[in-house]
Amino acid sequence: MTTAEPAPDTLSDEEPIEHVALSLEEAVDLAIQFLRAGNVATALPILAEAERTKPDDAVIQHFHGIALSQSGQAEEALAKMESSLRIEPAIAGWWNNYGNVLRGCERLDAAIDAYKQALELDPEFPEPYNNLGIVQRARRNLSIAEACFAKAIALNPDYADAYANLGNLLVARGEGLQGVKMLFRAVTLCPHDGTSKRALAYAYGELGEVDKARDIYREWVKDEPDNPIPRHHLAAVEGAAPGRASDDYVRRVFDSFAPNFDTKLDQLGYRAPELANALLREWAPERASGLSIADLGCGTGLCGPDLRARARQLVGVDLSGGMLERARERGCYDELIEQELTAFLNERPAAFDALICADTFCYFGELGAALAASARSLKPGGAIVFTVESLADGDDGIRLAHHGRYAHGRPYVEKTLREAGLVPSRMLHEILRSESGHDVFGYVLLAEKPA
């Protein structure tokens, strides 16, 4: 979180702390250092105890709120931060921090108001402009977002996050060359930031400059040999596609996306859950609420509300614990399980009337094992609805694209379904999302297990 005060030297959780008597002010300063070092678990109890000792101290309340937010207690965090701002309403950095927590809760109108309040107090404060840009992009106000990022950069020419945000916006709008310039600047300023590296390599891939993307991934793999993200994307651009994305890759990517996943997908005009749910409704119009359903790769639970209306039992499964936490907040699922979906299905023979898998098989190349497990897990007469990104007509195969997702040819999908013992009955060709100014097409399929 950005604050108005300069960050002091930070402490890691590996440094030994001598057991000495500290004043309240010293304890709070120490907790703030731990907080800024990312050691929330150590900072949180210190700040909680400090607030019990001095309950009306605005500094303690504010940083206690930040610690609560970073430990996943957003509503409690907002209450602390609001109290601190009633006591000390003239600190621009605190309004910016408050806006960030509101944005994380997807309370975007309130976040905008908080950022504007920060700028009223300090018009030369670049962080609120950058954060306003993030919110305006989420609202699809791209011109306003661009102006906000540009203003942040004008105020701080070394502001790597603002360059990255502006670059991503330009790439998403189809202005790849300008986007590359911004992203290259972000990587230059923060050469060890994997998020900016990935965005720059993606932008090069969109421009067809695969060699440059490959160089970035190779350097990233050298810097972080245990990180599954650059390894996966390097395999994609080198044409050495694995049979599916690794569990570690999927978990790492989606844990990082979880806090703002729904907002990001809304920016892409994401339609996969809507299309898959519609096909399932068509299959089971008279089975209203009596189905046992598994939502495979359920993510934050975007399919959940519609599925709940026709499910006697609704189970969600995903590799990402972060995504499952967001799904739990929807209150739709009887059970949420953190597991790889093929293993999950193999452990539950003839357990489900219906399976739904929206935008998850794009992380599988070979579909045979997953579809065979799906057939095994369905009751006779049951059905699976799923989406895959599509290759061009007549292209019978599998391709791992530079962005890390697989696309499949129609003949391959139909053949693999039949080999798994499933009968394809509907296959629609639809726009699943937009990306870099282009529509992403895919198949929405319904296949049944013979009764």
Side-chain angles (χ1 to χ4, degrees), residues 55 98 238 375:
Y98 178 52
E238 288 184 334

Side-chain angles (χ1 to χ4, degrees), residues 47-349:
L47 291 163
E49 179 60 32
E51 187 172 354
R52 282 190 287 271
T53 303
K54 197 172 181 181
D56 296 325
D57 187 286
V59 172
I60 295 172
Q61 287 182 356
H62 187 78
F63 285 96
H64 190 192
I66 292 175
L68 287 165
S69 172
Q70 293 183 4
S71 64
Q73 302 174 67
E75 293 303 322
E76 296 88 341
L78 289 171
K80 299 293 183 189
M81 300 174 90
E82 287 160 5
S83 179
S84 74
L85 287 166
R86 284 193 293 270
I87 300 168
E88 294 284 355
I91 302 176
W94 288 13
W95 284 100
N96 183 63
N97 294 341
Y98 178 52
N100 288 342
V101 179
L102 289 165
R103 175 162 55 89
C105 296
E106 299 187 1
R107 293 167 57 180
L108 300 187
D109 286 339
I112 289 172
D113 290 342
Y115 295 138
K116 287 182 176 179
Q117 182 62 39
L119 291 171
E120 282 187 21
L121 292 165
D122 184 358
E124 303 299 304
F125 190 7
E127 280 82 356
Y129 280 110
N130 180 58
N131 293 326
L132 272 172
I134 293 170
V135 175
Q136 294 294 355
R137 184 182 175 191
R139 288 281 179 82
R140 303 187 188 182
N141 297 324
L142 300 189
S143 296
I144 298 174
E146 182 179 357
C148 290
F149 295 139
K151 180 65 173 179
I153 290 167
L155 291 170
N156 178 4
D158 293 330
Y159 195 172
D161 284 352
Y163 282 107
N165 287 327
L166 179 55
N168 284 327
L169 183 152
L170 293 169
V171 171
R173 204 163 62 186
E175 299 176 38
L177 288 172
Q178 292 302 314
V180 160
K181 291 179 182 178
M182 297 299 106
L183 290 165
F184 188 84
R185 177 66 174 152
V187 171
T188 301
L189 288 166
C190 291
H192 299 296
D193 178 21
T195 301
S196 294
K197 286 181 181 178
R198 183 181 179 188
L200 178 58
Y202 172 84
Y204 278 133
E206 287 294 288
L207 292 172
E209 298 187 39
V210 177
D211 289 346
K212 292 181 179 179
R214 182 185 301 118
D215 290 343
I216 292 170
Y217 289 131
R218 284 176 176 168
E219 189 64 31
W220 191 3
V221 168
K222 187 186 299 183
D223 288 344
E224 300 181 49
D226 296 328
N227 188 336
I229 294 176
R231 291 203 309 270
H232 178 77
H233 288 275
L234 181 60
V237 296
E238 288 184 334
R244 52 154 292 183
S246 71
D247 290 358
D248 285 345
Y249 171 82
V250 173
R251 191 176 292 110
R252 179 81 69 97
V253 167
F254 286 96
D255 279 349
S256 68
F257 281 166
N260 301 301
F261 185 72
D262 294 1
T263 300
K264 289 180 182 296
L265 290 183
D266 186 59
Q267 295 169 13
L268 301 175
Y270 183 61
R271 302 177 65 223
E274 167 197 343
L275 293 166
N277 273 327
L279 204 53
L280 186 63
R281 285 196 303 272
E282 183 181 310
W283 173 75
E286 298 176 1
R287 309 187 194 196
S289 59
L291 299 176
S292 177
I293 303 175
D295 186 357
L296 307 176
C298 65
T300 63
L302 289 171
C303 288
D306 197 85
L307 295 174
R308 182 72 269 172
R310 56 190 42 79
R312 170 180 49 80
Q313 176 198 26
L314 180 58
V315 180
V317 58
D318 203 283
L319 271 169
S320 166
M323 300 292 270
L324 290 173
E325 283 302 314
R326 298 301 301 273
R328 189 167 287 109
E329 293 169 6
R330 293 185 191 273
C332 298
Y333 295 87
D334 299 300
E335 190 176 6
L336 288 164
I337 297 172
E338 185 175 338
Q339 191 177 8
E340 192 277 322
L341 68 86
T342 307
F344 165 84
L345 293 167
N346 280 328
E347 293 172 2
R348 291 162 178 81

